[in-house]
Amino acid sequence: MNVMAKAEKKISSAFIYFFGSFGGILFGYDIGVMTGALPFLQADWHLENAASLVGWITSAVMFGAIFGGALAGQLSDKFGRRKMILMSAIVFVVFSVLSGVSPDMGEASAYYLIIVRMLLGLAVGAASALVPAYMSEMAPAKARGRLSGLNQTMIVSGMLLSYVVDFLLKDLPGEWAWRLMLGLAAVPALILFLGVLRLPESPRFLLRKGDEAQARKVLSYIRKNPAEIDQELASIKETAKEERQANQKTSWSTLFSGKYRYLVIAGVGVAAFQQFQGANAIFYYIPLIVQKATGQAASSNLMWPIVQGVILVVGSLVYMWIADKFNRRTLLMVGGAVMGLSFILPAVINWMMPNMNPMTIVVFLCIYVAFYSFTWAPLTWVLVGEIFPLAIRGRASGLASSFNWIGSWLVGLIFPIMTASMPQEAVFAIFGIICILGVIFVKTCVPETRGHTLEEIEEQGTNHGRVKASNPEN
């Protein structure tokens, strides 16, 4: 026991935050890796004309993630954040390897891979929920605001890493290329597992289980001031008490009562719009998009995902610089408007000039990704973290996450089906209209949260509910 205590005391806060962030890299890698693997998989299994199967193979991970996040959240309250992150990493390793060794059995192979990737999605959803929660519970209060931006940077860095790996493996024989791309997703998961083995459990979870001595010890590893430790322990106890009382008084129906309805609709709506705006259509299918636009083989267009990845990383750094300089609503509306125009204008230009350079659509997609990267991508989760009152925070955050994953899954599933049945410009124009609807939604239904305390934000929702009750025609 003393040996363990000494080992834990050597753990620096930088080590803890690095492996918290590393979960984002793992999550991002799996989002991006199918982008390069898909063209080779299609050719190897002759799926060029099987749009629905391609959609299911691509989106299966997101389908599993819908359930993985919710399941992991409940289990982590019973077994602890650290143990569930370790379990998620193991599941990730196992099913990444099983994806890479998929048997070649004709059409049955596609169904095997869909099932395996759904199970892999359980780990993806769990990691996306557990790692930020663990980090927020370990970090000092003054650093929590920056963690959302840091987590987004790590996710897009993981995506960029997967794009680079895909590019480096593209000259291998087709069968080996896609198998190694998918199988190598096990490497960051293994690194995460080994890193988390050295991490202590969250002090919040330890206090919930009544182990105040161990919670104090863990805080002593990452807080230097004893008075700060005492103050934080008292704060955690008070918050836990309030949450227990809130959970006893609330149910799912409470979310849509007059008092909370405004804020729940705002938070869940933003989370849903983030995905239905079509970003993942670009991230998953950019080589196929370029192929359809230019006629070049998708497997020869793997430089484009790297371009998108660099834009995402730079955009996430821009967000960290501007996050506290502009209102949330302003950034969301400006970003959504430019994103919408980036999707709609190629269709308009193509209609006016049928001989339009086919690469025009790719240029506009880069503009879309740039504005998405420092507006809707990070701000969605900043706003979701701020907007829900304590009494409903757990349920409402879970609902927002589920709608976000449902949107991600549906976009990944239907995009290849849509592009197989209509012009590519028309498909993106539809997503562009959704972007504009998102701007209207933010303007009319979302309160400003920057510079407001959580109590002030909750009061906005309460007051809005009173106004609606007294003026039902509004």
Side-chain angles (χ1 to χ4, degrees):
M1 186 69 180
N2 291 334
V3 174
M4 275 296 293
K6 289 180 180 178
E8 288 183 348
K9 285 190 177 182
K10 293 179 182 178
I11 301 173
S12 67
S13 58
F15 184 91
I16 292 171
Y17 303 145
F18 173 80
F19 277 100
S21 299
F22 201 87
I25 289 179
L26 179 150
F27 175 33
Y29 184 97
D30 199 78
I31 288 177
V33 71
M34 185 54 80
T35 303
L38 192 58
F40 297 98
L41 175 62
Q42 279 185 296
D44 187 30
W45 284 358
H46 308 291
L47 298 176
E48 290 86 350
N49 297 316
S52 59
L53 277 179
V54 169
W56 269 107
I57 290 171
T58 304
S59 65
V61 165
M62 289 82 81
F63 185 79
I66 296 171
F67 307 98
L71 184 63
Q74 295 181 20
L75 292 177
S76 70
D77 285 340
K78 183 175 182 180
F79 299 109
R81 292 17 168 178
R82 176 180 171 274
K83 287 181 181 178
M84 289 309 302
I85 293 172
L86 288 171
M87 183 61 66
S88 298
I90 292 172
V91 172
F92 210 107
V93 169
V94 170
F95 288 103
S96 294
V97 172
L98 288 178
S99 296
V101 298
S102 298
D104 195 345
M105 306 177 296
E107 189 172 307
S109 301
Y111 295 109
Y112 165 89
L113 189 55
I114 289 168
I115 293 171
V116 167
R117 283 178 56 77
M118 281 183 184
L119 295 171
L120 176 62
L122 294 175
V124 171
S128 69
L130 290 171
V131 174
Y134 177 83
M135 285 181 68
S136 67
E137 292 181 1
M138 297 297 284
K142 62 184 179 182
R144 285 179 191 144
R146 294 194 302 274
L147 283 178
S148 60
L150 177 60
N151 189 52
Q152 176 66 19
T153 300
M154 292 301 148
I155 290 173
V156 295
S157 296
M159 294 172 68
L160 177 58
L161 175 63
S162 72
Y163 298 151
V164 171
V165 169
D166 289 350
F167 182 79
L168 294 176
L169 297 177
K170 70 181 177 63
D171 293 325
L172 290 176
E175 180 180 0
W176 284 101
W178 71 264
R179 292 181 183 277
L180 274 175
M181 291 171 185
L182 297 184
L184 285 174
V187 175
L190 183 60
I191 294 173
L192 176 67
F193 178 84
L194 295 175
V196 175
L197 276 177
R198 294 194 60 211
L199 299 186
E201 182 52 86
S202 154
R204 187 185 183 106
F205 173 78
L206 291 170
L207 269 180
R208 182 178 292 177
K209 293 300 180 183
D211 194 347
E212 183 173 344
Q214 186 63 22
R216 181 180 294 275
K217 184 182 291 185
V218 171
L219 283 173
S220 72
Y221 306 152
I222 52 179
R223 308 285 189 271
K224 295 180 180 179
N225 189 338
E228 182 184 0
I229 294 174
D230 291 336
Q231 183 179 358
E232 188 160 349
L233 281 172
S235 176
I236 294 173
K237 287 180 182 177
E238 182 61 28
T239 301
K241 179 181 177 181
E242 291 176 2
E243 286 182 345
R244 282 196 299 270
Q245 293 173 346
N247 289 335
Q248 290 171 358
K249 297 177 182 177
T250 61
S251 63
W252 283 105
S253 62
T254 309
L255 270 61
F256 298 98
S257 65
K259 182 178 180 180
Y260 299 120
R261 186 187 304 120
Y262 172 57
L263 296 178
V264 171
I265 290 174
V268 173
V270 168
F273 267 112
Q274 187 206 41
Q275 289 301 326
F276 283 109
Q277 289 169 335
N280 278 350
I282 303 173
F283 302 147
Y284 293 130
Y285 298 111
I286 185 64
L288 299 178
I289 292 169
V290 177
Q291 173 182 284
K292 190 159 187 176
T294 65
Q296 300 173 357
S299 58
S300 66
N301 288 314
L302 296 189
M303 181 58 72
W304 279 106
I306 295 178
V307 172
Q308 306 283 1
V310 170
I311 293 172
L312 284 167
V313 172
V314 173
S316 71
L317 297 175
V318 169
Y319 166 74
M320 294 179 72
W321 177 54
I322 68 171
D324 295 319
K325 298 180 181 180
F326 297 94
N327 285 343
R328 315 283 195 240
R329 279 163 41 93
T330 300
L331 288 174
L332 287 173
M333 288 189 288
V334 170
V338 176
M339 287 155 53
L341 290 174
S342 299
F343 275 159
I344 293 170
L345 284 177
V348 174
I349 294 172
N350 187 60
W351 174 66
M352 297 175 65
M353 296 185 296
N355 295 323
M356 176 186 78
N357 187 321
M359 288 304 292
T360 301
I361 190 171
V362 181
V363 173
F364 275 103
L365 293 185
C366 290
I367 296 172
Y368 173 99
V369 171
F371 276 81
Y372 174 81
S373 68
F374 67 85
T375 58
W376 281 83
L379 274 170
T380 294
W381 300 113
V382 173
L383 193 140
V384 165
E386 294 172 335
I387 203 169
F388 297 131
L390 176 65
I392 60 168
R393 189 168 299 151
R395 286 186 171 90
S397 297
L399 187 64
S401 178
S402 294
F403 269 83
N404 188 265
W405 280 116
I406 290 169
S408 179
W409 165 59
L410 285 174
V411 168
L413 175 64
I414 68 174
F415 181 77
I417 300 173
M418 292 171 71
T419 55
S421 59
M422 66 178 75
Q424 202 160 238
E425 293 84 359
V427 175
F428 284 121
I430 292 171
F431 285 128
I433 293 170
I434 296 174
C435 290
I436 301 303
L437 291 175
V439 172
I440 296 171
F441 177 82
V442 170
K443 183 172 178 59
T444 58
C445 300
V446 178
E448 181 55 56
T449 59
R450 172 177 170 259
H452 295 283
T453 66
L454 298 182
E455 290 73 25
E456 289 170 344
I457 295 168
E458 181 170 352
E459 184 65 21
Q460 287 186 68
T462 301
N463 291 339
H464 193 275
R466 289 172 184 157
V467 170
K468 286 290 184 183
S470 60
N471 299 283
E473 70 276 8
N474 293 334

